Amino acid sequence: MGSDLTHVKSTPIPTHDEDSRSRSPSAALLSFNTDPSASPTPSSSPSHKPSTTVIFISLLLTTCVALSAAFAFAFLFFSNSPKSAPVYESSSLEYKARTLRKLDHPVVLLVSSDGFRFGYQFKAPTPNIRRLIANGTEAEEGLIPVFPTLTFPNHYSIVTGLYPAYHGIVDNHFVDPHTGESFTMRSHEPKWWLGEPLWETVANHGLKAATYFWPGSEVIKGSWTCPDKLCMQYNGSVPFEQRVDSVLNYFDMPSSEIPVFMTLYFEDPDHQGHQVGPDDREITEAVARIDKMIGRLIEGLEKKGVFEDVTIILVGDHGMVGTCDKKLIYLSDLAPWIEIPNDWVQSLSPLLAIRPPSGVDPVNVVEKMNEGLKSGKVENGKNLRVYLKEELPSRLHYAASDRIAPIVGLVEEGFKVEQTRTKQRECGGAHGYDNAFFSMRTIFVGHGPRFERGRKVPSFENVHIYNLVTTILNIQGAPNNGSVSFPKSVLLPAA
């Protein structure tokens, strides 16, 4: 891109291991010897033929009686079943995707509810979300965000299939070490945004995409021009109802003109979670409101006759955990071991990022900080561990970028880091922690022709969603960190 701001180590983009293969469940059923040339067992020897015939006839008669009883029971059971009970297609009968009824091409609508922690769907009546779950495919224990579990890094990972170290948005705010320029959530210059987001991939294939808010969607990059009326400039004051109705209006276009990929974004319940934590009544109300918006979307698609044709993928970007004043760690308490000036610190909490000036050895800083934290003399010190970024757990995939600070601190769940002690007191919620914490998980629900009804799949990282969408749209995606075989494990085969 011709700018110093694109500095990311030229590490090849790794993908998830695709070589593991699960053993076929049917293998155990074939464990007995089926080789006709094998030595005869005593029961198969010629001297036992008459008794074998008798046993065979007895088994045949028993089977006939059992089958007759089964048919009689089935008749009585189904003839007395409630006629009003909803009947879903049996997953065992869904071998292929359901055919489109009205649209002439697949359409994927990617919906994000910011900060929707996994489990929130049980905090309030959520009939519409549960309808998508009952008739679609759900990550049974939630969607795993990438680290750091922050809004911009995760939203951009979802649409690029890349970990933050590879797509460049390593935090909500960070500094480029080569130029000193700062990235903020209003930075729309393409030099910051690496990788190829889904809207750009779609445009590369000569197809239409529409984005109603999504981090990175306003960036004019590659073949994506953020077209008028199809790319909305972010405005948090736009009512949720207006956002839903605007997306529904796309389906009034001729079928061949309808964008094949759309995004829809809601700030809730993240907004409330930061203010009151994950357990307040405000969260319950916010979740109910999101469910109402999903209901508005479903109803609108049904009226247009396209609900069963449209693929809806409902996700969040991260979870939420409660924080309070008793769970604070102060960098100023480390003064007996090392002083950490304000201008070294790029972010405090929950992701501690420290970039010492040239001439200061990061190795020495990490050693001194951990010595103090482990001493037992720093309040809550045991709840912070500081690393050189290269020594972070590899599962975090958070090292291969110069934009990542050389020193990263992992904070224990629910704790926060402050520079100095103040009299300010607060209790609320936060995210950004290690993505291994269950509280950071969010939701994944897929509903549409390629998603099996009523299916639960194991939790997975959100970098796999990019390949999921390109597979549904039957287009070639860009290289990414997701597994190319992942869609086969989640989607029904194409019709």
Side-chain angles (χ1 to χ4, degrees), residues 40 48-49 58 76 92 110 128 130 136 170 183 202-203 218 236 254 272 297 335 388 394 434 449 464 472 478 495:
H48 288 75
K49 285 185 178 178
S58 300
L76 291 172
S92 62
L110 181 62
N128 300 297
R130 294 190 183 193
V170 299
F183 172 87
V202 167
E218 298 173 51
Q272 295 83 358
L297 178 64
L388 293 172
S394 59
D434 189 334
H464 295 294
I472 294 171

Side-chain angles (χ1 to χ4, degrees), residues 54-70:
V54 173
I55 293 172
F56 175 77
I57 293 173
S58 300
L59 288 174
L60 184 62
L61 290 173
T62 303
T63 302
C64 292
V65 172
L67 286 173
S68 299

Side-chain angles (χ1 to χ4, degrees), residues 234-268:
Y234 180 71
N235 181 353
S237 65
V238 177
F240 288 179
E241 291 82 358
Q242 182 177 330
R243 304 180 194 189
V244 172
D245 293 346
S246 296
V247 168
L248 290 172
N249 287 339
Y250 294 136
F251 293 94
D252 292 332
M253 299 178 176
S255 182
S256 60
E257 296 294 315
I258 297 174
V260 303
F261 175 70
M262 309 175 190
T263 69
L264 177 60
Y265 170 79
F266 303 114
E267 292 86 353
D268 292 355

Side-chain angles (χ1 to χ4, degrees), residues 356-362:
S358 59
V360 177
D361 185 3

Side-chain angles (χ1 to χ4, degrees), residues 272-333:
Q272 295 83 358
H274 281 292
Q275 294 181 330
V276 299
D279 302 315
D280 194 271
R281 180 174 178 175
E282 285 188 39
I283 295 295
T284 304
E285 295 170 351
V287 169
R289 184 185 180 201
I290 292 298
D291 185 76
K292 185 178 179 181
M293 293 303 104
I294 298 301
R296 188 183 188 96
L297 178 64
I298 292 173
E299 182 181 6
L301 293 173
E302 285 182 323
K303 287 181 178 179
K304 297 176 187 297
V306 296
F307 174 58
E308 291 297 335
D309 284 4
V310 176
T311 296
I312 298 175
I313 298 178
L314 174 62
V315 299
D317 53 346
H318 54 71
M320 186 71 66
V321 68
T323 58
C324 217
D325 297 312
K326 289 188 291 185
K327 294 186 173 183
L328 293 177
I329 304 161
Y330 302 98
L331 294 183
S332 57
D333 287 355

Side-chain angles (χ1 to χ4, degrees), residues 296-451:
R296 188 183 188 96
L297 178 64
I298 292 173
E299 182 181 6
L301 293 173
E302 285 182 323
K303 287 181 178 179
K304 297 176 187 297
V306 296
F307 174 58
E308 291 297 335
D309 284 4
V310 176
T311 296
I312 298 175
I313 298 178
L314 174 62
V315 299
D317 53 346
H318 54 71
M320 186 71 66
V321 68
T323 58
C324 217
D325 297 312
K326 289 188 291 185
K327 294 186 173 183
L328 293 177
I329 304 161
Y330 302 98
L331 294 183
S332 57
D333 287 355
L334 292 171
W337 294 269
I338 186 172
E339 290 192 13
I340 307 296
N342 286 339
D343 58 0
W344 290 16
V345 180
Q346 295 197 340
S347 67
L348 274 168
S349 190
L351 175 67
L352 176 62
I354 297 174
R355 189 181 294 277
S358 59
V360 177
D361 185 3
V363 174
N364 183 60
V365 174
V366 169
E367 289 177 352
K368 294 292 186 181
M369 290 185 70
N370 281 328
E371 183 182 345
L373 293 169
K374 294 176 181 179
S375 69
K377 299 178 181 179
V378 173
E379 184 178 359
N380 295 319
K382 64 181 181 180
N383 296 294
L384 171 62
R385 177 70 186 274
V386 182
Y387 298 82
L388 293 172
K389 69 178 179 182
E390 295 84 2
E391 296 177 355
L392 283 165
S394 59
R395 61 180 174 78
L396 297 178
H397 305 280
Y398 200 65
S401 172
D402 292 341
R403 297 175 180 180
I404 299 172
I407 299 173
V408 177
L410 297 184
V411 190
E412 185 59 49
E413 185 177 24
F415 284 81
K416 295 179 71 176
V417 179
E418 300 287 354
Q419 187 75 37
T420 59
R421 293 178 180 273
T422 66
K423 294 182 179 180
Q424 184 177 354
R425 295 290 178 264
E426 64 174 47
C427 281
H431 54 88
Y433 299 91
D434 189 334
N435 63 349
F437 295 145
F438 205 85
S439 60
M440 294 297 102
R441 291 195 185 186
T442 182
I443 56 169
F444 172 90
V445 183
H447 180 282
R450 296 289 300 272
F451 286 106

